[in-house]
């Protein structure tokens, strides 16, 4: 009888072993999301002066897009680009944004329509008769579906500060706002330089270990090659999840073991008392950030949006990491 | 012991039983016979108390069946039907022990007396050897013996059988019914059985109740009920009846329709079954 | 003799659980060595200094509660499965097939999404809400399958599939309605013990204990009921009432556990079968042994879920389905043959 039991047990576990193998393979083969490189195929310095249409650009989807004339009806399907477009003075030309758009304030009231940004209805989109659709971190299928509908669509998904600058310049060129784009980027770079100088003075041992959590159920956190990872570094922090690639759920054990000195939460807008809930988690009281009360909720719009306010996000984080620098 | 009085039962608009009455005495066996859909099984379920009559009353030991608690009733009345098996691998012993369920008290487990009864019953039906076998590994005939042993472990005074021999081979048919009859005689059991096989009914029942269209079409001793006229009026075919060569009770042969090519066979003249 | 075998297997399972708990405490991405685990265990017990805080926290506050939840959820599902199979005389019944898990998950999710306003949070709110949902799911499946005794396997399965699909759809839509919780859908549909608040288990444990106690008290009736409802009545069981009581008691354990873990399939199916093969079908033995074996099974399923892929977790429901679905296919094939 015992023997039979063991036999059965062995069978069960050999099954499990197959499972291990399968899942492990799947993991190894998964393509890492490549960080978006230079958009615009190297056209990082657009020509000054009025733009000559039709204009041909290469966007982050890797395709060449021809913009026939200066866009007059623009739909932005990603809040970061909305911010850029408004910063370029295109209010009035932007005819639709997403339900996630909250900046500039009251932006949703300034447009004709508010769309579902994640899974936009192509029909609704077409009915707005836009001459330019601006896309961001949308998947390939969405981009293609919109293009198949005969709409002119550009897709930019910047994953680094430099890429944000380039994206702003690119959007400026497409919308015939090159000068304003250049000025905006210059302003951002200047602010970033001031910040960088401040942070550069901080010795490595005084840079806090930082854990960023964007989802309380799965503990989603930004790993290497994410925009957030760069923001943490620029703000003078050390991301505890930098051994992960891209956005990943992290194991609570690893967080506790890494013992972050600062914890940043981005979901405060939908989870009430987010800091308090995190501090009450069992076992997290062993973490320095909890012990010293350095658990912060930040505006997710600010830190999650690679747009014109991205330097402000660095500043906001830097103030959390190094309050003494900003006294 | 069992008294069925003017019992009516309908399922929706369909009246299944319309005023059935009969009694079964201790030590005697009543056979319920009749065509398919005559309401025999319903009648048995009414006696067992799992259905309620619309009108009329069923009494066991003088008390209406509905007035018993299930446990009380189960100590007096047992039912053997087909297909009363678990899909799980219980042993023969454990299955027969389930017959002691109406006697078990919560928290107090199986007593030595329960074991004694189960072992005795197993020996009587000849299953002592296979007591620790799994029921689902036995043959159909042996399984029916297990079920019979279980009903006997209940120590009932009334035993209801619903077609207990269907699907059994000849040997097991006789074995099951012989055991029932032995217990009936030895322990003064009142037996009510639904039987499809009229010949077995004639052999094993002291009285037959022929049910047709929800009413009693005929009742009495086998020789009174099993006549060509009565059977033809109920079954729509006229059988030939001869006395059993040993027991003398009527036994029946069906008569196929005569086709032209059967003409050259000389039909044998058969005496109609006479009174004993 | 059956009693002796029960104690034997009870001992084997108890010992396996003890050993498994110790091994499980060693498994995790924080990479603690056995000595570290011991030191951490010892550290909290004695208050001895010199043990890093994080090691104590990982062992005591993360791994131990998780091990406990796996045991509790597994035991609940297996006990419920054993009871369902017995009372419905259907070897394919389990909380997942019967729509209990889906119903409970839906109610629990609804409670968490809208509960803030209704003030339903707390240790008891969610498990009890899940209980109500589980019963509703069960009622739907049994109603659809036609309660008429000895429901055929195929009918029950079809009814289960229909109800599960429907409830799953409602659940998905409900969760999509608040898009931030998108990852949570997965957790509820495929089950997970990751990052669950151990406080929830405090509400589940009493539910499980009450359910197990009631079912064991009714184990004899359950045995008799496997003969069929009529036969059980002939043997003195008040079938009408008892059957519902058993279904409700089993659903209590199953639903409450869903509130902790989401939908984990096949545990309630596989475990009672194996226990029956080892220790026989007597529910007095089957139910407690299923609790032990279910806990053990889910503990290892959870270990696989968190250790199979380094740095990432797979939903525990995927692990149990991976093992359970082939087993189910085997049972289906076998039940088809004997028919």
């Amino acid at each position: 009888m015992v023997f039979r039991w063991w036999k059965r047990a062995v069978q069960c576990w050999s099954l499990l072993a197959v499972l291990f193998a399968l899942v492990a393979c799947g993991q190894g083969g998964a393509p890492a999301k490549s960080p978006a490189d230079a958009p615009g195929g190297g056209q990082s310095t657009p020509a000054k002066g009025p733009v000559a249409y039709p204009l041909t650009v290469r966007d982050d989807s890797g395709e060449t897009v021809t913009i026939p004339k200066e866009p007059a009806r623009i739909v932005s399907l990603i809040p970061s680009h909305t911010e850029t477009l408004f910063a370029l003075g295109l209010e009035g030309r932007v005819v639709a944004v997403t339900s996630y758009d909250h900046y500039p304030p009251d932006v949703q009231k300034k447009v004709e329509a508010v769309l579902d940004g994640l899974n936009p209805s192509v029909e609704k989109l077409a009915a707005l008769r836009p001459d330019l659709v601006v896309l961001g971190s949308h998947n390939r299928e969405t981009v293609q579906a919109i293009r198949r509908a005969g709409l002119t669509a550009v897709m930019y998904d910047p994953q680094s500060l430099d890429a944000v600058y380039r994206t702003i310049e690119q959007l400026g060129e497409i919308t015939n706002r090159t000068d304003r784009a250049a000025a905006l980027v210059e302003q951002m770079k200047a602010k970033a330089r001031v910040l960088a100088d401040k942070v550069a003075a901080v010795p490595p041992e005084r840079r806090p270990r930082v854990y960023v959590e964007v989802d309380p159920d799965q503990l989603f956190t930004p790993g290497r090659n994410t925009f957030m990872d760069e923001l943490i570094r620029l703000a003078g922090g050390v991301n505890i999840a930098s051994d992960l690639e891209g956005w990943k759920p992290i194991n609570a054990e690893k967080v506790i073991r890494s013992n972050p000195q600062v914890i940043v939460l981005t979901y405060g807008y939908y989870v009430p008392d987010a800091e308090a809930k995190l501090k009450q988690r069992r076992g997290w009281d062993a973490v320095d950030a909890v012990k010293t009360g350095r658990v912060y909720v930040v505006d997710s719009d600010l830190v999650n949006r690679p747009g014109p306010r991205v330097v402000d996000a660095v500043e906001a984080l830097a103030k959390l990491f190094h309050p003494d620098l900003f006294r | 012991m069992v008294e069925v009085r003017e019992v009516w039962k309908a399922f929706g608009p369909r009246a299944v039983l319309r005023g059935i009455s009969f009694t079964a005495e201790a030590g005697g066996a009543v056979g319920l016979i009749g065509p398919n859909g005559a309401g025999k099984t319903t009648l048995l379920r009414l006696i067992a108390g799992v259905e309620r009559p619309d009108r009329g009353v069923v009494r066991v030991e003088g008390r209406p069946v509905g007035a018993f608690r299930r446990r009380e009733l189960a100590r007096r009345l047992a039912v053997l039907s087909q297909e009363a098996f678990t899909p799980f691998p219980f042993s023969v012993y454990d299955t027969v022990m389930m017959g002691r369920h109406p006697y078990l008290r919560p928290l107090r487990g199986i007593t030595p007396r329960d074991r004694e009864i189960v072992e005795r019953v197993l020996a009587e039906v000849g299953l002592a050897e296979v007591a620790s076998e799994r029921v689902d590994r036995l043959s159909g005939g042996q399984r029916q013996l297990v079920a019979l042993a279980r009903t006997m472990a209940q120590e009932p005074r009334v035993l209801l059988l619903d077609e207990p021999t269907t699907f059994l081979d000849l040997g097991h048919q006789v074995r099951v019914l012989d055991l029932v009859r032995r217990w009936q005689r030895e322990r003064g059991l009142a037996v009510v059985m639904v039987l499809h096989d009229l010949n077995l009914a004639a052999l094993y029942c002291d009285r037959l109740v022929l049910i047709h269209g929800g009413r009693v079409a005929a009742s009495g001793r086998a020789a009174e009920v099993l006549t060509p006229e009565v059977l033809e009026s109920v079954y729509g075919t006229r059988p030939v009846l001869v006395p059993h060569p040993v027991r003398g009770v009527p036994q029946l042969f069906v008569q196929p329709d005569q086709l032209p090519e059967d003409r050259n066979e000389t039909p044998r003249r058969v005496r109609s079954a006479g009174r004993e | 003799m059956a009693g002796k075998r029960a104690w034997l297997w009870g001992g084997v399972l108890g010992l396996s659980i003890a050993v498994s708990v110790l091994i499980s405490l060693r498994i995790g991405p924080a990479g603690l060595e056995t000595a570290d685990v011991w030191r951490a265990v010892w550290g909290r017990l004695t208050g001895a200094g010199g043990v890093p805080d994080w090691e104590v926290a990982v062992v005591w506050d993360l791994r131990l509660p998780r091990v406990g939840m796996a045991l509790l959820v597994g035991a609940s599902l297996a006990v419920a499965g054993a009871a369902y199979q017995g009372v419905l005389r259907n070897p394919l019944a389990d909380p997942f097939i019967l729509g209990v898990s889906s119903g409970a998950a839906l109610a629990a999710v609804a409670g968490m999404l809208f509960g803030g306003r209704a003030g339903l949070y707390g240790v008891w709110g969610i498990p009890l809400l899940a209980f109500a949902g589980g019963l509703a799911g069960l009622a739907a499946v049994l109603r659809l399958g036609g309660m008429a005794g000895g429901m055929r396997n195929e009918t029950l399965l079809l009814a289960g599939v229909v109800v599960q699909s429907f409830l799953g759809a409602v659940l998905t839509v409900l969760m999509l309605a608040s898009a931030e919780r998108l990852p949570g859908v997965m957790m509820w549909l495929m089950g997970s013990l990751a990052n669950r608040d151990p406080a929830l288990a405090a509400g589940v444990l009493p539910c499980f204990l009450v359910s197990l106690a009631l079912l064991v008290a009714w184990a004899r009736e359950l045995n008799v009921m496997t003969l069929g409802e009529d036969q059980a009545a002939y043997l003195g069981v008040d079938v009408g009432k008892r059957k519902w009581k058993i279904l409700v008691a089993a659903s209590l354990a199953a639903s409450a556990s869903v509130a902790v873990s989401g939908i984990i399939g096949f545990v309630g199916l596989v475990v009672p079968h194996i226990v029956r093969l080892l220790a026989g079908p007597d529910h007095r033995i089957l139910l407690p042994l299923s609790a032990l074996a279910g806990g053990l099974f889910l503990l290892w399923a959870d270990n696989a879920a968190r250790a199979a892929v380094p740095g990432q977790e797979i939903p525990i429901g995927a692990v149990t389905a991976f093992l359970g679905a082939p087993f189910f296919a085997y049972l289906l094939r076998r039940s088809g043959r004997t028919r």
Side-chain angles (χ1 to χ4, degrees):
Chain A
M1 190 48 96
V2 176
F3 172 71
R4 247 177 43 200
W5 190 87
W6 277 113
K7 214 172 120 193
R8 208 162 277 130
V10 167
Q11 284 165 355
C12 283
W13 286 108
S14 43
L15 226 84
L16 206 63
V18 177
L19 168 81
F20 280 30
L22 274 179
V23 182
C25 290
Q27 193 54 24
K33 195 184 173 191
S34 62
D37 300 315
Q43 307 174 19
S44 50
T45 341
K48 299 260 174 179
V51 176
Y53 292 94
L55 169 74
T56 300
V57 296
R58 178 186 282 269
D59 72 358
D60 287 358
S61 69
E63 290 188 33
T64 320
V65 184
T66 302
I67 291 100
K69 61 177 174 58
E70 183 176 336
R73 293 180 62 79
I74 305 172
V75 172
S76 166
L77 287 178
I78 190 119
S80 53
H81 293 340
T82 309
E83 291 188 17
T84 302
L85 295 171
F86 273 76
L88 295 180
L90 290 163
E91 181 174 345
R93 292 203 178 184
V94 177
V95 293
V97 296
T98 76
S99 53
Y100 302 103
D101 273 280
H102 304 294
Y103 193 90
D106 287 332
V107 59
Q108 295 192 15
K109 288 183 191 152
K110 295 176 181 167
V111 292
E112 294 172 23
V114 175
L115 303 173
D116 176 354
L118 279 178
N119 299 297
S121 153
V122 178
E123 268 186 40
K124 247 182 163 175
L125 196 56
L128 286 164
R129 293 173 289 99
D131 46 20
L132 180 69
V133 179
V134 183
L135 296 161
S137 55
H138 295 88
N139 59 33
R140 226 181 141 66
E141 287 71 30
T142 309
V143 178
Q144 282 172 346
I146 290 169
R147 287 190 175 143
R148 266 199 306 275
L151 298 172
T152 304
V154 291
M155 185 275 226
Y156 292 106
D157 187 18
Q159 295 289 327
S160 67
L161 194 56
D162 281 341
V164 172
Y165 296 149
R166 284 195 298 269
T167 298
I168 291 173
E169 286 167 351
Q170 196 73 67
L171 286 173
E173 186 183 7
I174 290 170
T175 56
N176 196 15
R177 292 288 186 280
T178 24
D179 295 341
R180 289 194 68 159
L184 177 59
V185 168
E186 202 36 63
Q187 194 188 330
M188 289 168 74
K189 281 181 175 170
K191 196 168 178 186
R193 261 194 305 275
V194 174
L195 275 170
D197 289 346
K198 273 191 179 175
V199 170
V202 179
E205 70 274 9
R206 293 213 37 236
R207 298 186 178 211
R209 293 183 301 276
V210 178
Y211 166 58
V212 176
E213 184 174 295
V214 299
D215 172 77
D217 292 325
Q218 306 243 326
L219 311 191
F220 254 99
T221 200
R224 206 181 328 124
N225 289 325
T226 58
F227 189 67
M228 184 75 86
D229 183 61
E230 188 184 10
L231 293 190
I232 295 169
R233 195 168 48 250
L234 291 173
V238 178
N239 183 7
I240 64 154
S242 53
D243 58 327
L244 300 175
E245 174 77 38
W247 289 92
K248 286 274 158 55
I250 191 172
N251 192 292
E253 283 183 14
K254 280 178 75 175
V255 179
I256 291 176
R257 169 159 207 184
S258 313
N259 193 18
Q261 291 153 309
V262 175
I263 295 179
V264 173
L265 311 177
T266 65
Y267 48 83
Y269 67 101
Y270 71 92
V271 176
D273 305 324
E275 302 110 306
K277 279 179 186 153
L278 184 129
K279 288 177 185 167
Q280 281 162 12
R281 284 186 195 158
R282 281 189 67 152
W284 288 60
D285 49 1
V287 169
D288 280 350
V290 175
K291 283 183 190 158
T292 57
R294 296 185 72 186
V295 180
Y296 305 108
V297 169
V298 300
D299 179 2
S300 82
D301 286 3
L302 188 64
V303 295
N304 278 340
R305 294 187 176 168
R309 289 192 294 159
V310 62
V311 182
D312 299 350
V314 176
E315 185 180 22
L317 290 177
K319 279 179 177 163
L320 297 179
F321 300 167
H322 304 287
D324 42 320
L325 286 184
F326 294 88
R327 229 168 251 140
Chain B
M1 192 62 91
V2 176
E3 183 190 5
V4 177
R5 176 157 303 249
E6 273 300 306
V7 162
W8 291 70
K9 179 74 185 176
F11 294 107
R14 204 169 66 87
V16 178
L17 300 175
R18 318 163 180 225
I20 300 263
S21 300
F22 72 90
T23 57
E25 299 300 337
V30 173
L32 300 179
I33 55 174
N36 292 334
K40 295 164 294 182
T41 296
T42 304
L43 184 52
L44 220 56
R45 291 168 59 83
L46 286 170
I47 301 171
V50 290
E51 299 275 5
R52 293 278 152 97
D54 298 336
R55 264 196 283 159
V57 67
V58 178
R59 288 200 177 86
V60 170
E61 295 184 328
R63 207 168 139 195
V65 165
F68 286 98
R69 293 190 19 237
R70 281 255 49 118
R71 272 168 71 83
E72 293 176 321
L73 190 63
R75 290 183 210 144
R76 290 166 175 80
L77 179 147
V79 181
L80 174 64
S81 54
Q82 327 148 26
E83 274 300 310
F85 290 97
T86 105
F88 303 113
F90 280 97
S91 70
V92 170
Y93 187 92
D94 288 345
T95 311
V96 175
M97 186 58 88
M98 289 182 194
R100 298 304 296 165
H101 187 260
Y103 296 91
L104 298 180
R105 298 181 169 279
L107 301 180
R108 275 208 11 228
I110 292 161
T111 65
R113 192 178 125 72
D114 295 319
R115 287 186 213 287
E116 202 180 291
I117 290 168
V118 167
E119 276 154 28
R120 193 188 69 220
V121 171
L122 282 171
E124 283 181 58
V125 299
L127 291 174
E129 311 269 276
V130 293
S132 56
E133 291 273 309
R134 282 166 49 171
V135 174
D136 55 336
R137 299 223 168 121
L138 300 182
S139 71
Q142 278 181 309
R143 274 196 285 202
Q144 193 63 337
L145 287 174
V146 172
L148 181 63
R150 189 181 61 230
T151 58
M152 293 317 299
Q154 264 178 277
E155 298 190 296
R157 272 168 263 176
V158 177
L159 178 61
L160 309 181
L161 301 108
D162 190 1
E163 307 210 8
T165 57
T166 320
F167 308 125
L168 298 192
D169 63 41
L170 194 61
H172 278 106
Q173 290 188 3
V174 172
R175 252 197 97 100
V176 166
L177 290 173
D178 276 348
L179 281 165
V180 169
R181 195 164 60 158
R182 175 133 56 91
W183 276 318
Q184 166 204 332
R185 293 280 156 81
E186 284 174 2
R187 288 175 217 171
L189 219 56
V191 176
V192 179
M193 59 177 116
V194 169
L195 280 177
H196 227 71
D197 187 320
L198 299 180
N199 291 337
L200 287 176
L203 282 164
Y204 285 97
C205 299
D206 306 302
R207 288 182 47 244
L208 296 180
V209 176
L210 175 61
I211 298 173
H212 181 44
R215 295 179 206 279
V216 176
S219 75
R221 296 189 313 135
E224 295 159 6
V225 176
L226 301 181
T227 65
E229 294 74 28
V230 171
L231 292 178
E232 188 177 13
S233 72
V234 169
Y235 289 94
T237 180
R238 194 179 176 87
V240 178
L241 288 141
V242 296
H244 190 280
V246 178
R247 325 269 323 183
V249 294
Q251 296 287 291
L252 126 184
F253 293 91
V254 292
Q255 239 182 318
D257 199 11
Q258 284 263 322
L259 297 176
E261 56 270 36
D262 298 333
R263 286 273 158 70
N264 46 12
E265 291 174 9
T266 32
R268 294 185 53 188
R269 268 232 164 282
V270 180
R271 245 183 333 128
S272 184
R275 319 270 125 115
E276 291 153 80
Chain C
M1 70 193 154
K4 223 184 262 167
R5 199 143 55 118
W7 284 112
L8 173 74
W9 281 111
V12 169
L13 286 171
L15 208 66
S16 311
I17 288 179
V19 172
S20 302
V21 166
L22 294 179
I23 298 175
S24 306
L25 286 180
R26 178 76 174 64
I27 300 176
L32 291 174
E33 294 303 319
T34 310
D36 301 332
V37 173
W38 281 118
R39 202 167 50 156
V41 170
W42 196 243
R44 168 102 30 124
L45 284 178
T46 59
V51 189
D53 272 1
W54 72 267
E55 288 186 7
V56 177
V58 163
V59 172
W60 279 91
D61 298 322
L62 297 181
R63 293 188 186 173
L64 205 60
R66 183 155 179 178
V67 163
M69 282 192 282
L71 291 173
L72 180 60
V73 170
S76 299
L77 292 173
V79 164
Y84 289 136
Q85 288 167 18
V87 77
L88 297 173
R89 296 181 77 204
N90 195 322
L92 298 180
D94 104 317
F96 180 59
I97 306 288
L98 290 173
V100 176
S101 299
S102 313
L106 180 54
V109 166
M112 287 176 187
L113 287 183
F114 308 118
R117 264 162 273 161
L120 277 165
Y121 282 110
V123 170
W124 290 101
I126 299 299
L128 289 182
L129 208 62
F131 179 37
L135 285 180
L138 176 70
V141 170
L142 293 184
R143 193 66 196 271
L144 202 62
M147 276 278 355
M151 196 193 296
R152 291 177 60 96
N153 285 344
E154 307 84 79
T155 325
L156 185 76
L157 292 183
L158 283 178
V161 167
V162 169
V163 171
Q164 274 174 54
S165 313
F166 180 77
L167 293 176
V170 177
L171 182 66
T172 307
V173 170
L174 204 63
M175 302 225 48
L176 289 180
S178 52
E180 300 84 18
R181 296 191 174 248
L182 202 59
V185 178
M186 195 63 168
M187 182 259 146
W188 282 101
L189 288 180
M190 293 300 285
S192 171
L193 290 171
N195 309 319
R196 306 302 294 154
D197 182 0
L200 272 175
V204 177
L205 182 65
C207 292
F208 164 71
L209 291 176
V210 166
S211 169
L212 180 66
L214 289 174
L215 291 172
V216 169
W218 298 331
R220 257 188 240 284
E221 271 99 336
L222 256 168
N223 284 345
V224 173
M225 286 177 83
T226 65
L227 293 171
E229 291 187 14
D230 282 349
Q231 195 59 46
Y234 303 148
L235 286 168
V237 178
D238 193 347
V239 177
K241 275 190 212 149
R242 186 57 87 225
K243 179 164 126 185
W244 286 113
K245 285 184 186 168
I246 291 171
L247 286 174
V248 168
S251 303
L252 176 63
S255 311
S257 76
V258 168
V260 169
S261 67
I263 300 173
I264 300 177
F266 300 103
V267 180
L269 180 85
V270 174
V271 173
H273 271 278
I274 291 175
V275 174
R276 247 184 236 113
L277 287 178
L278 300 177
D282 186 339
H283 286 86
R284 286 172 298 162
I285 297 162
L286 177 66
L287 290 166
L289 287 190
S290 290
L292 293 176
L296 184 65
F297 177 80
L298 207 67
L299 180 55
W300 280 103
D302 189 48
N303 286 343
R306 62 206 179 104
V309 187
Q312 217 174 348
E313 290 215 7
I314 45 180
I316 190 170
V319 178
T320 59
F322 193 83
L323 298 172
F327 189 82
F328 183 85
Y330 157 75
L331 286 179
L332 196 61
R333 218 178 103 100
R334 208 180 56 169
S335 82
R337 253 205 310 253
T338 55
R339 233 155 237 282

